[in-house]
Amino acid sequence: MAQVPQTFFDAPAVRSWCGLALEALGRAREEIDAINVYPVADGDTGTNLYLTVESAAAAVEAVFAGHEADGGRRPSLADAVRAMAHGALIGARGNSGTILAQLLRGMAQVLAGDEAPAHADGEGLRTALRHAADSARRAVAHPVEGTVLTVASAAAEAAGGAGGDCGAVARAAYEGARAALAETPARLAVLERAGVVDAGGRGLVAVLAALVETFTGEAPRAVPAVGGPWNGSVRTAGPGPHTRAEARGDLPRESAGPGECADAGAVPGAGGPAFEVIYLLEAGDAAVARLRERLDALGDSLVVVGGDGLWNVHVHVDDAGAAVEAGVEAGRPYRIRITHFAAGDVHTTGAEPTVTAPGERARRAVVAVVPGEGLADLYAEAGATTVLARPGEPPASGELVQAVRRAHAREVVLLPNDAELRHTAAAAAEQARAEGIRVALIPTRSAVQGIAALAVHEPERRFDEDVVSMTSAAGATRYAEVTVAERQSWTMAGICQAGDVLGLVDGDVAVIGQDLTAIAEAVLDRMLAAGGELVTLVLGDGAPASVAAHLETRVREGYLAVDTLVYHGGRQGALLLIGVE
């Protein structure tokens, strides 16, 4: 994105940095996922970092769009960095993504302070990097050296000793981080045995490389993810079976808990906490301080980031109810996500998960992400293995890999049913392939496209033919949704206010209004204007049944030879999903 180097750290520089960091993590995602061996090889770190920065970049773009719609004004540095930090906090995924969100927040606290200038120079960037590293370290209950925290501190230290403009400071931070990354195996034995560097630290180096490119116009040299000068040798890393078995089953686990929480410093044992609990929390500082103490006593892998009344809480516990109850006592928790670590999986034993279903593998299976309980039942009746994506709680790649294993088939068709899950699904498919499962990823962007694909699925056909047929059916299905705006924002159809009913066609807002039925009818008419033979309607819990009846009548009276199918999706986020094929 950065065609012209940025002289100062201002709003355009923030925008360029986010875009370049997203591109860099997109290129490195699979590599970072593959080297995620500490504390277990769950293959999520690269994907989690990508999705965190994707949310940050989207928030910055929204700020620019809003200012352009409001007379073409350019946002201030404070506007941009606050949006970046807030977007990262809301979209933070996994432990590494949560820590990166706190790093960005730490920078924003300096660059958007009361006395912050219109743009920051080299001195301002040095101060921001130092504060970022310190605040991230404070957010982790039990920091572990040889992780992304070590890399962040080294970057800040190197930047503090550099003179000159933002470009010089950014390059010094990058070089300091790069050197610290190479030394992570010397600080963490599990990394040294696997022959890899810390995955979270590798991701942070990619983000800092993007910062260098923002200010200089030149991308630094690539960073190797394997081997290093600490022992004079390089061992192959990546998804090969030797390294993965080494990382998962044969290496002793160091001082960390289950999951991807490489920086939480839990003490391992033969087992581990049974649940991972994550939620956003609205609460004051004093209440959060008490919450930290309570959660630290309840479990491990504790990371709490945020501030100004909004926090992201992550902990592993045996009593999930107590962890949520602690959040309720502290304030208002929401987007609560509880994951059970089943006996024998990587989160509780450190050993590679195994499929326990009896008998031989089936020839072929379909694994699908679905947004509501009603659709989960529908997909299951059609023979699919489902992964439930609750509103605001998209599944991680590890959950998709577990579903692929649970399907117990030699060949698997994976339906993500959400454009935002494309990288998560790709990471899951890659990991499953490394385990010897043939996986085809069909890039379905909505559950109604998945329904169309599943309708033509024939497991007795050759795999390639079945995948082509399912892909064609999904691609021939236009999709839309009707939902309610959560906040004021700029859209393709104009500015919407919180509470407005939005009609989205193929992912873009096409209609804005107040009446649900009228918006749904307008969206349906727009879709059928291009033709169609079958309309699929999926009602969410918040949509009255009269909407479906009205739309069925509209199709019957206005569009000859078009059939309509109606399903109930349950708590699916959108009030209504529409498919036309």
Side-chain angles (χ1 to χ4, degrees), residues 282-289 309 311 330-331:
E282 293 178 356
D285 292 358
V288 169
W311 308 83

Side-chain angles (χ1 to χ4, degrees), residues 418-501:
D418 187 340
E420 298 299 319
L421 289 177
R422 60 193 185 280
H423 294 287
T424 303
E430 185 66 25
Q431 184 169 341
R433 292 183 190 116
E435 297 174 9
I437 304 171
R438 189 179 185 188
V439 181
L441 172 60
I442 298 178
T444 49
R445 293 170 290 176
S446 171
V448 292
Q449 289 188 321
I451 291 173
L454 199 55
V456 299
H457 169 55
E458 292 185 15
E460 300 308 315
R461 274 194 300 220
R462 289 179 56 246
F463 186 63
D464 292 340
E465 292 177 355
D466 197 27
V467 170
V468 168
S469 178
M470 295 176 72
T471 302
S472 297
T477 302
R478 300 187 298 283
Y479 66 97
E481 68 177 77
V482 179
T483 188
V484 176
E486 295 181 356
R487 62 184 65 86
Q488 182 188 54
S489 61
W490 185 90
T491 75
M492 296 294 291
I495 297 177
C496 70
Q497 305 296 326
D500 283 349
V501 179

